[in-house]
Amino acid sequence: MTPDLFGDENQTWSEALCPGAVVLRGLAMPDEAALLAALDDIAAAAPFRHMVTPGGFCMSVAMTNCGAYGWVSDRGGYRYDAADPDSGRRWPRMPDVFLRLATDAAARAGFDGFAPDACLVNRYAPGARLSLHQDKNERDLGQPIVSVSLGLPALFLFGGSRRDDKPARVPLTHGDVVVWGGPARLRYHGVMPLKDGLHPLVGGYRINLTFRKAA
DNA sequence: TAGTCGCT
DNA sequence: ACAT
């Protein structure tokens, strides 16, 4: 199934057209205040930073992590590391409110037993973007990806298994959760440059929580 | 190619 | 295309 079949820009995808991928719109967040407070605690312990790609470019998205493992990038490549390279300390533990949200969303998307040990926290300021890429540094590709959107809206690009497959354009906003796994696990994805705005709870940013089973 | 840049 |  190719992403072309999704059709027009504003058309939402469906499980029927994209096996293994689900968008949960406005997922109920039982304790949104606790979620955002936990986010602040993580950023205080492991500050957002702009990582460098193997090509030597500074990423526009600012990142931090929580959980047993964190995704890091430098001139040596991409990898998961139990320690924050900036501090040498372990990443902050994954808050229970994060874990519940991720496992509930995965279960609702048909992936029972998801037990993430890594949560990459991406912060998009206006103009920040992520070019098309695959998540393939995880040990067990049988485990899905759970992506939680907070704050400003963004246009998510969901492509095929080849870089030159035309991506579907999926608008995502605060409270949306995308889950992909199984046949969709290695699909290319990215985010268009963020537009300016102000979210009442999050401010002038989009925050994305990406849950993975890294090890 | 988790990048950027330049030309059609 | 470029360069990692």
Side-chain angles (χ1 to χ4, degrees), chain A residues 27-156:
Chain A
L27 190 74
M29 289 184 283
D31 203 343
E32 186 178 44
L35 190 80
L36 295 174
L39 187 59
D40 287 340
D41 291 344
I42 290 164
F48 286 103
R49 82 292 305 263
H50 294 273
M51 296 186 187
V52 174
T53 65
F57 296 99
C58 193
M59 297 179 72
S60 60
V61 178
M63 300 176 166
T64 186
N65 291 276
C66 66
Y69 298 96
W71 186 88
V72 294
S73 175
D74 58 26
R75 285 166 188 79
Y78 316 127
R79 64 189 172 278
Y80 284 93
D81 201 316
D84 177 347
D86 281 12
S87 69
R89 293 183 283 110
R90 291 189 309 273
W91 299 102
R93 68 167 282 109
M94 194 182 300
D96 288 340
V97 62
F98 278 31
L99 196 57
R100 273 203 311 275
L101 179 57
T103 56
D104 287 357
R108 290 171 66 152
F111 298 96
D112 289 302
F114 180 52
D117 56 13
C119 175
L120 173 61
V121 185
N122 291 324
R123 187 184 67 187
Y124 295 74
R129 50 164 291 187
L130 214 52
S131 57
L132 282 182
H133 66 278
Q134 293 172 302
D135 290 11
K136 58 179 180 185
N137 293 109
E138 300 74 31
R139 186 177 184 75
D140 180 5
L141 297 178
Q143 295 302 311
I145 302 291
V146 174
S147 172
V148 177
S149 293
L150 299 169
L152 292 177
L155 201 51
F156 184 60

